[in-house]
Amino acid sequence: MNNTAPAPARTRGRPRGNPPTRESIVTAARSLFLERGYRSTTLRAVAGAAGVDPALIAYHFGSKKGLFADVMQFQCARALTVDEVLQGDPVTLPERLIDAVTGLWEDADFRRLTAQGDEAAEVIREYLERELLARLVEFLGGRDATARATAAVMVLGGLVYTRYLNPLPTPAALPPSEARRILAPALRTALAPRSRPTALVGGGARP
């Protein structure tokens, strides 16, 4: 008589017990995206590298595009941790922002990921809008917070464009410390509170 209990059926979707973490899937996907590129990486290959059922990836990330977005978001957050940048002396916030941005883009693996088409560009735009710009608005506060944060992100975007995305020889040749020294005054001006126009007698504004 065979007393061996039948093996439980393998279920799809969210596993019970102690499933592999999202981070382990993202780590496996990151390696494959770097090795094979976005188009040549399949969800089945990622599942095999992470040791999970492909259905688990679909459950957590929805699609390959969603998984790639998480890989890029993880890469951004690891280098450009907004919470850490916003902590400390407000006087040196411009320098910390520049260091965070250059630190992210000086990473060779990150630049390889950014070169993988429209998917990468879309994730970077979303990160700058939702994480950096929105958090700066919240941090700065006040009636002109959005204008100040927008100006700051535009300055940083110029740094990224002229140094990394479409590099000009002079900005690209600067060491990060020199880029910080040159750009910090402009970023400090962008972040500075806007002064209210001075009201004149009779309700007019000073020209």
Side-chain angles (χ1 to χ4, degrees):
M1 180 177 181
N2 186 0
N3 293 324
T4 304
R10 188 176 186 182
T11 58
R12 298 178 68 83
R14 180 186 290 274
R16 298 178 181 178
N18 185 25
T21 63
R22 288 173 61 98
E23 289 76 13
S24 66
I25 298 173
V26 167
T27 299
R30 177 180 178 274
S31 297
L32 287 175
F33 284 134
L34 286 170
E35 177 186 345
R36 304 179 183 181
Y38 177 82
R39 297 189 183 279
S40 298
T41 297
T42 65
L43 292 184
R44 186 171 296 279
V46 174
V52 301
D53 190 314
L56 184 63
I57 299 179
Y59 177 86
H60 282 302
F61 304 97
S63 64
K64 184 169 75 168
K65 183 177 180 180
L67 176 58
F68 184 73
D70 264 54
V71 170
M72 290 292 294
Q73 292 277 4
F74 174 77
Q75 193 79 11
C76 288
R78 188 174 68 172
L80 206 168
T81 306
V82 179
D83 285 336
E84 294 181 1
V85 172
L86 296 180
Q87 293 174 359
D89 188 349
V91 173
T92 58
L93 176 60
E95 287 80 3
R96 294 198 302 277
L97 283 168
I98 294 169
D99 284 345
V101 170
T102 55
L104 174 65
W105 284 86
E106 291 292 324
D107 184 271
D109 286 348
F110 178 74
R111 290 205 302 275
R112 286 171 62 192
L113 289 171
T114 63
Q116 298 191 24
D118 293 339
E119 292 81 9
E122 182 179 343
V123 173
I124 293 171
R125 285 194 298 268
E126 289 181 358
Y127 188 84
L128 291 176
E129 177 75 21
R130 297 179 183 178
E131 292 298 322
L132 185 56
L133 179 59
R135 295 297 305 283
L136 270 176
V137 171
E138 180 183 355
F139 174 80
L140 294 171
R143 63 178 182 83
D144 58 0
T146 299
R148 295 161 62 193
T150 300
V153 171
M154 291 177 71
V155 172
L156 294 170
L159 167 65
V160 170
Y161 185 79
T162 60
R163 185 174 169 85
Y164 303 106
L165 292 180
N166 189 24
L168 301 178
T170 300
L174 294 173
S177 59
E178 184 66 7
R180 182 209 312 132
R181 185 189 69 81
I182 291 174
L183 202 57
L187 189 54
R188 184 167 287 107
T189 298
L191 289 166
R194 274 51 171 171
S195 58
R196 292 177 179 269
T198 303
L200 297 176
V201 175
R206 188 180 301 277

